């Protein structure tokens, strides 16, 4: 086993990628690079605003800062290596590098899925129990929610990384993807992976359906609370506070379930690569836009920061 690990670490893998050298793909690669830049700047700015503006020191914005941090780390885990491989034409990734990429990717996707689920519970408490909200969602509870999201995601990432890197790979080293993803890597294993397939499916079901069930249960109660509100204005305000979260949930879970919960016979590498671009690059860019452009507090904090910079530059 040690000899094989040494050989694997020397050989590494070839990431076939998603782009060729055609003019169309060069334009698409430029677009992905632009989206990556917006995601990087947008999430960094949102984290900065949340931690520097006292008006945003609430449970919802604390969770949003954690979501932005996850998105920031996710795009940095995938896009830079994809860009280097495309521009250099090497397409090579070391065995250790592949394992690290798998660990970070699975951990961050799992953590984000759980956090989105628990953020739905936060919205339920805020709408259904507004008077008790400060006590029910105190600092300790917020830290527990964020910590458990990170912990379960990291545990899932470690399990899948160790299991994937323990398999024996022989023959072709060409991974039909633009990053090291476990399902694409399993196709190169020259041993029975049925046990690992079962483990992978169980992890995906737990990490997707558990938070999704929390979301469904929370929003069912929110809808019931909204229907019992006597004021139409209060109902609209309650639904408006949930719209951003629901949009983020739809983008994330729609793409994740399409990839990981489909039967194997319906899977195609080309489809998986396109959808992976959606939730590894596009969704991290959209999340800060969704939560900021439709949010008065965030836009107010941004204007305040810009005014402070303008006054400072004048002096």
């Amino acid at each position: 086993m040690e000899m094989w690990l040494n050989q694997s670490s020397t050989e590494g893998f070839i990431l076939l990628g998603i782009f060729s050298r055609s003019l169309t793909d060069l334009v698409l690669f430029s677009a992905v690079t632009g989206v990556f830049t917006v995601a990087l700047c947008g999430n960094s700015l949102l984290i900065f605003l949340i931690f520097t503006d006292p008006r945003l020191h609430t449970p919802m914005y604390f969770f949003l800062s954690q979501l932005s941090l996850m998105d920031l780390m996710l795009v940095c885990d995938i896009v830079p290596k994809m860009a280097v491989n495309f521009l250099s034409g090497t397409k090579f990734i070391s065995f250790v590098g592949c394992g690290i990429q798998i660990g970070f990717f699975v951990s961050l996707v799992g953590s984000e899925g759980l956090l989105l689920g628990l953020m739905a519970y936060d919205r339920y408490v805020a709408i259904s129990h507004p008077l008790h909200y400060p006590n029910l969602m105190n600092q300790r509870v917020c830290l527990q929610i964020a910590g458990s999201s990170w912990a379960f995601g990291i545990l899932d990432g470690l399990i899948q990384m160790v299991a994937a890197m323990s398999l024996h790979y022989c023959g072709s080293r060409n991974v039909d993807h633009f990053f090291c993803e476990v399902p694409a890597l399993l196709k190169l294993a020259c041993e029975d992976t049925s046990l690992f397939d079962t483990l992978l499916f169980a992890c995906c079901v737990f990490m997707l359906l558990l938070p999704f069930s929390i979301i469904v249960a929370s929003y069912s109660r929110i809808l019931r609370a909204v229907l019992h509100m006597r004021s139409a204005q209060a109902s609209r305000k309650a639904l408006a506070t949930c719209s951003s979260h629901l949009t983020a949930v739809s983008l994330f879970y729609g793409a994740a379930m399409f990839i990981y919960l489909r039967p194997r016979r319906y899977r195609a590498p080309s489809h998986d690569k396109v959808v992976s671009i959606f939730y590894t690059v596009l969704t991290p860019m959209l999340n800060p836009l969704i939560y900021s452009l439709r949010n008065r507090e965030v836009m107010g904090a941004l204007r305040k920061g810009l005014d402070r910079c303008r006054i400072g530059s004048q002096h």
Side-chain angles (χ1 to χ4, degrees):
M1 176 64 75
E2 185 178 353
M3 183 183 298
W4 169 79
L5 283 174
N6 290 335
Q7 182 184 9
S8 298
S9 62
T10 303
E11 292 183 5
F13 298 98
I14 302 297
L15 299 173
L16 297 182
I18 191 173
F19 302 118
S20 65
R21 289 287 174 174
S22 68
L23 180 60
T24 303
D25 281 351
L26 283 172
V27 172
L28 290 174
F29 171 75
S30 300
V32 169
T33 306
V35 169
F36 166 72
T37 304
V38 174
L40 203 64
C41 297
N43 284 292
S44 300
L45 179 61
L46 195 55
I47 293 170
F48 175 77
L49 290 175
I50 290 170
F51 278 95
T52 56
D53 195 306
R55 292 174 298 177
L56 302 181
H57 292 175
T58 64
M60 185 181 80
Y61 292 112
F62 170 71
F63 296 139
L64 183 53
S65 71
Q66 297 301 298
L67 186 69
S68 290
L69 180 60
M70 292 170 186
D71 282 337
L72 193 61
M73 294 175 68
L74 181 60
V75 293
C76 290
D77 179 47
I78 303 297
V79 180
K81 181 60 178 174
M82 179 186 73
V84 168
N85 285 357
F86 177 78
L87 294 172
S88 65
T90 57
K91 299 186 177 183
F92 176 81
I93 187 168
S94 68
F95 184 80
V96 173
C98 187
I100 291 172
Q101 196 172 60
I102 287 173
F104 271 102
F105 172 74
V106 176
S107 297
L108 292 166
V109 170
S111 297
E112 185 164 339
L114 284 170
L115 185 62
L116 283 170
L118 293 170
M119 284 172 73
Y121 172 74
D122 170 69
R123 292 297 83 211
Y124 156 68
V125 175
I127 291 170
S128 300
H129 306 284
L131 297 179
H132 302 288
Y133 181 72
N135 293 326
L136 292 173
M137 297 300 294
N138 56 49
Q139 187 178 30
R140 182 175 62 85
V141 172
C142 291
L143 290 173
Q144 287 175 345
I145 287 175
S148 62
S149 298
W150 282 104
F152 277 107
I154 291 170
L155 179 63
D156 186 29
L158 287 173
I159 290 171
Q160 293 198 38
M161 179 184 69
V162 171
M165 295 295 101
S166 299
L167 294 173
H168 187 189
Y169 298 96
C170 55
S172 174
R173 293 279 168 164
N174 295 334
V175 180
D176 194 7
H177 217 303
F178 59 89
F179 69 98
C180 278
E181 190 182 36
V182 174
L185 210 61
L186 286 182
K187 297 175 183 177
L188 306 181
C190 54
E191 61 184 275
D192 182 23
T193 61
S194 56
L195 179 62
F196 186 82
D197 284 332
T198 304
L199 173 66
L200 178 64
F201 185 76
C203 285
C204 290
V205 167
F206 176 78
M207 297 300 287
L208 288 174
L209 294 189
L210 174 65
F212 190 73
S213 63
I214 295 173
I215 291 168
V216 172
S218 297
Y219 276 104
S220 298
R221 291 178 174 271
I222 287 172
L223 184 60
R224 188 168 63 182
V226 169
L227 292 175
H228 284 85
M229 288 180 180
R230 297 178 180 179
S231 168
Q233 184 178 359
S235 300
R236 284 194 298 270
K237 185 178 179 181
L239 292 174
T241 61
C242 300
S243 61
S244 297
H245 179 255
L246 278 173
T247 305
V249 164
S250 301
L251 291 172
F252 179 87
Y253 279 95
M257 288 182 175
F258 177 81
I259 287 184
Y260 295 109
L261 298 186
R262 279 181 304 159
R264 175 174 285 186
R265 63 180 179 273
Y266 294 119
R267 292 179 183 174
S270 58
H271 296 163
D272 287 351
K273 284 190 278 190
V274 171
V275 178
S276 293
I277 280 282
F278 185 83
Y279 76 87
T280 58
V281 185
L282 193 61
T283 301
M285 180 206 72
L286 291 174
N287 278 345
L289 297 178
I290 290 167
Y291 278 101
S292 60
L293 294 179
R294 305 173 65 180
N295 190 300
R296 291 180 181 177
E297 287 89 354
V298 174
M299 293 305 293
L302 180 59
R303 281 192 292 270
K304 182 180 175 182
L306 292 174
D307 290 340
R308 192 180 303 158
C309 290
R310 189 162 49 245
I311 294 170
S313 63
Q314 290 174 353
H315 290 287

